[in-house]
Amino acid sequence: MRVGIGYDVHRLVPERKLIVGGELIDYHLGLLGHSDADVLTHAIMDALLGTVGLGDIGKHFPDSDPSYQGISSLKLLAEVVGKIREQGYEIGNIDGIIIAERPKMSPYIPRMVTRLANVTALKEDQINIKATTTEGLGYTGEGKGIAAQAIAMVL
């Protein structure tokens, strides 16, 4: 058994779609990034890569590579899952937390879990997603960005 942890943060900006956990969220701002800037999926990918010592997503999917411009993070997650399995491991579980003052994430979490389970070939009860605020403190509390953390275990 091995574990890994991941963290990601992106700035909220106008004229971008807000995608978290592979789910399009109805909001007037979106996350700025080279790909779709899905903070939760990025944190999960880093956690998974960390479980087997394969570095981070920047190493595997650099923002200097134009082929990743605007790409769905779920496609990248599928590649990461393949890398984990190539190392001889299976994913045991994933636990993630979205840190955002707004929009409220709870209505979207069940669909996020379903999307992530489909991409990782896990059962939905092997994926746990939560959301929290920072009670108005810091960049997330001020509505300037969204962060996410994840931990994963492989067997």
Side-chain angles (χ1 to χ4, degrees), residues 5 45-60:
I5 190 167
M45 288 189 292
D46 270 346
L48 287 168
L49 290 166
T51 64
V52 294
L54 289 177
D56 60 27
I57 60 174
K59 175 181 175 182
H60 296 273

Side-chain angles (χ1 to χ4, degrees), residues 80-100:
V80 168
V81 170
K83 292 175 188 296
I84 299 303
R85 293 195 173 120
E86 285 172 8
Q87 296 291 316
Y89 290 93
E90 289 297 323
I91 301 167
N93 74 299
I94 296 168
D95 188 27
I97 187 163
I98 306 158
I99 306 156

Side-chain angles (χ1 to χ4, degrees), residues 57-72:
I57 60 174
K59 175 181 175 182
H60 296 273
F61 313 109
D63 62 8
S64 58
D65 186 336
S67 68
Y68 300 122
Q69 179 73 39
I71 194 168
S72 166

